[in-house]
Amino acid sequence: MEALEVSAPDGLSGRSVLVTGAYGLLGSWLVQALLDGGARVVAIRRDEPAVSPLELLGLEARVDVVPGDIRDQAVVARALNEYDVDSVFHLAAQTLVGTANRDPLSTFETNIRGTWLVLEACRRHAVERVVVASSDKAYGPQVELPYEERQPLAARHPYDVSKASADMIARSYWHTYGLPVAVTRFANLYGGADTNRSRLIPEAVCAALQRRAPVLRSDGSPERDFLYVDDAVRAYVAIWELLGRGAGAGEAYNAGGGAPHRVGDVVELICRLAGTDVAPDIRGAGTPAGEIDRQWVDSRKLRELTGWRPVVELEEGLNRTIDWYRAHPETWQTVLQN
């Protein structure tokens, strides 16, 4: 099946947009949509990875790159001022649960302090619209599922707490200072060009294509909601457009694929779609320490306000992801190998 592409959003021509975390999975595909819409895109780059989604998608040369760290307020302020930025998508974060459990301080520094420094720079620069990435993990373990935005955040573990803290700080900048900011609490994202070695889907896809057993750190029973990256990009743009209409500020918005899936079933589906007969290498029992056993979000609020809904079902999204990696075999050895 021919892959659908994210359509270029209206109203971006002539805009100057800062995307923190532009070198990540979501950031890189969002950058492409912004560029296609006619925006000037600015990115802050802390490290120089050997390979990144932004590079794999051939976008880096089209972006204004500011070297530095979001934890350096002078760097953020310079990016906003010198490139006359009017909109910010703040996606930069330390996203690995295991890394957060081993060293929470670096995660707190990036995800919490980094967020308030970006927001403070946006306030001082009078940025017109800000969208901040939180996470469905900010909800923590809940008896009532799917997660709804009205539920209190009950995060327990370092990564989850860092996202819940950033979530609340971001919304405070609207209620206290009037900064037009909204927060996203999205499900697990997946798609082509993901260079994260520990993420479930890219590891399973590349393992299946190499005909080796995908590794599961659990027993396969945890349930997750999965959102294809194209749908996630459309959701971010829909929220940006909502803010542009003078609505939606100070609010959080869920977006997910619409149903929970056992991670073991997802890996088995990947192996089948990739045309391999390998079975998952199960190395855990139950849910790994520091993770939530069941996660699933209700996206009705975003749908009712913007008309957004996911259009790529899981099997189709996995097929597209497999096709992307199959077309880029150079990534199998240099990226995503355990």
Side-chain angles (χ1 to χ4, degrees), residues 154-197:
R156 295 178 180 176
H157 302 291
Y159 174 74
D160 309 351
V161 167
S162 76
K163 299 306 285 185
S165 300
D167 187 309
M168 297 176 72
I169 290 168
R171 288 180 286 124
S172 80
Y173 265 75
W174 163 253
H175 293 291
T176 307
Y177 305 112
L179 180 70
V181 58
V183 171
T184 66
R185 299 173 186 163
F186 285 9
N188 288 34
L189 305 183
Y190 71 100
D194 190 349
T195 61
N196 189 326
R197 293 170 183 254

Side-chain angles (χ1 to χ4, degrees), residues 97-215:
V97 172
T99 298
N101 289 341
R102 289 191 300 272
D103 184 7
L105 296 186
S106 65
T107 298
F108 294 156
E109 275 284 313
T110 298
N111 296 2
I112 303 176
R113 182 168 176 266
T115 296
W116 85 54
L117 289 175
V118 168
L119 290 165
E120 182 62 13
C122 289
R123 180 177 78 88
R124 292 175 181 272
H125 188 72
V127 169
E128 296 174 15
R129 310 181 211 180
V130 185
V131 184
V132 174
S134 180
S135 169
D136 60 347
K137 291 185 181 297
Y139 288 107
Q142 301 266 355
V143 174
E144 184 181 347
L145 290 173
Y147 298 139
E148 296 182 11
E149 293 90 346
R150 63 176 176 78
Q151 291 173 270
L153 304 183
R156 295 178 180 176
H157 302 291
Y159 174 74
D160 309 351
V161 167
S162 76
K163 299 306 285 185
S165 300
D167 187 309
M168 297 176 72
I169 290 168
R171 288 180 286 124
S172 80
Y173 265 75
W174 163 253
H175 293 291
T176 307
Y177 305 112
L179 180 70
V181 58
V183 171
T184 66
R185 299 173 186 163
F186 285 9
N188 288 34
L189 305 183
Y190 71 100
D194 190 349
T195 61
N196 189 326
R197 293 170 183 254
S198 70
R199 215 187 305 268
L200 176 76
I201 288 180
E203 150 60 19
V205 168
C206 291
L209 292 175
Q210 292 175 320
R211 297 191 178 279
R212 60 181 174 85
V215 174

Side-chain angles (χ1 to χ4, degrees), residues 81-94:
N81 185 50
E82 294 188 6
Y83 292 93
D84 200 19
V85 168
D86 57 66
S87 300
V88 172
F89 291 90
H90 176 46
L91 314 179
Q94 193 300 103

